[in-house]
Amino acid sequence: MTQSPALPLPPPKERRRLREAASLTRAQLASRVGVTSETVRGWETGRSTPRGRTGEKYTKLLHALGGEAEVTPRRPGAADSETPDPSPGAASAHRSPRARRKAAATGRKRPAAKDRGRGPVTVPDRSHTPVPHGHRVLPAERPRTTPPRRPGDAVTALTPDQAFDALYTFCAPALVRQTYLLTGRRGPARESVERAFRIAWQRWPEVARDRDPAGWVRAMAYECALSPWNRLRRRFRLPEPPPSDPFDRALMDALLTLPPCYRRTLVLYDGVGLGLPETAAESEASTRAAANRLVHAREALAGRLPELADPETLHWRLVELASAEGLRAAKPPVVRRGGERRARLWTRAAIAFTVALIGTTALTVRTAPTHYEPPVPPGETVQGVPPPVAPGPLSEKEQKLRAKLREAQQRGPDRLLPLPR
């Protein structure tokens, strides 16, 4: 069935309803469009609007899902072969976590090392591909997973610790991989993400009320990773082993040759899958400047690696490069307790500095003079005073007198006696 090129985009609530009617998860819908599940989440919540070729593909897919949802239920006497297979989402819900990870890994295999780098990887256009029959559930046969909420039911609110742990579990693994694309270093990437989440925990009332907490933490993690002060740290100066795959190594070298602002724009647009306005807002640039950075970054990468001239191929190559390293984030309680410990340390240091400053001020006030003492003026030079004359040589008479005086002083003076009357 041929779709019109100018199809109206359904409202955000209708987008989610169409996806759920087709029994598709956000990850499955994102893989068909060629974006990330976080981008699909933003489209469904109305935080962002799909644009460009990705938006057209997303609109066509939604209309295809809407057309399939209007199929009438099968007749009671129909053959069992017409019965739709169970939906992948319902089947994966009963699997173990290990089985779900294995199924996700087998669903998207990396190309062999010998085939990578030889030519561009052709990403199939899934916008015109009909949805498999097993991926749909008719509206009349769709099972109800949760009972309807009644007005008297109580809603259990999450505590701040639980909300922070949920945000960290949802965003931290992807943020570590994205930060690795920005820095090319595994340890500093993980450290930057943990530092961003510690800052978010310190400002949790502000982050919790934000329209996009994940975007807030992502912007902070990127700022920590691209901070110019990192070059002064020894950990950021030490070299790290490059990726083992030759094409991944060439792609990482090409990324690190880009300026930090170009690299950030490329990762946000082609790696994360944000729209151009969202990329410009998060990189603190105008939309035109973000577009120019993106164009120049793509041209620089295509000049070194011609296989990445296609934006979709570049997107999947970036995803594979970030996923190949197996980077893992720390546990949420560890990051939260580390942030609290650091906050206590800085608080105690501030208190100690304040006490020392108060003590120094009190000592200065105590020892300061209470009245004014004028300074002693410098001495003045007196004119007209003859210089002292040094004694000359003694004459013979003076020498005899000196000898006589010395002898009389040794014997002592004669005793004076009173005269009789």
Side-chain angles (χ1 to χ4, degrees), residues 120-274:
V121 178
T122 304
V123 180
D125 187 3
R126 300 182 178 87
S127 59
H128 302 285
T129 304
V131 183
H133 188 67
H135 283 267
R136 68 184 183 187
V137 175
L138 299 180
E141 299 178 355
R142 181 186 177 189
R144 185 178 293 274
T145 56
T146 57
R149 181 179 297 174
R150 293 173 295 179
D153 294 344
V155 180
T156 304
L158 295 177
T159 61
D161 297 353
Q162 295 173 348
F164 176 82
D165 293 350
L167 178 64
Y168 184 88
T169 305
F170 177 75
C171 299
L175 273 181
V176 172
R177 294 191 291 269
Q178 297 166 18
T179 313
Y180 171 70
L181 295 179
L182 290 177
T183 60
R185 300 176 179 273
R186 302 165 184 83
R190 188 184 306 108
E191 181 181 346
S192 300
V193 173
E194 293 178 0
R195 182 182 176 188
F197 273 99
R198 285 197 297 265
I199 297 175
W201 179 241
Q202 296 174 4
R203 308 177 185 178
W204 184 246
E206 173 189 351
V207 178
R209 291 192 299 267
D210 194 86
R211 293 180 56 187
D212 185 15
W216 193 99
V217 179
R218 180 174 58 245
M220 185 60 65
Y222 286 8
E223 290 292 340
C224 295
L226 298 178
S227 175
W229 296 102
N230 292 334
R231 69 186 66 178
L232 302 179
R233 302 181 56 183
R234 184 172 179 269
R235 185 173 185 179
F236 281 77
R237 294 198 304 266
L238 293 178
E240 288 195 2
S244 58
D245 189 82
F247 190 86
D248 289 347
R249 186 161 54 250
L251 178 56
M252 179 57 69
D253 294 340
L255 283 175
L256 295 180
T257 56
L258 297 176
C261 57
Y262 287 21
R263 200 184 319 152
R264 181 174 183 175
T265 304
L266 183 70
V267 170
L268 286 174
Y269 190 85
D270 288 329
V272 182
L274 297 182

Side-chain angles (χ1 to χ4, degrees), residues 160-162 164-165 198 201 331-341:
D161 297 353
Q162 295 173 348
F164 176 82
D165 293 350
R198 285 197 297 265
W201 179 241
K331 299 296 182 181
V334 176
V335 178
R336 183 160 31 83
R337 287 195 296 266
E340 295 173 354
R341 190 182 309 110

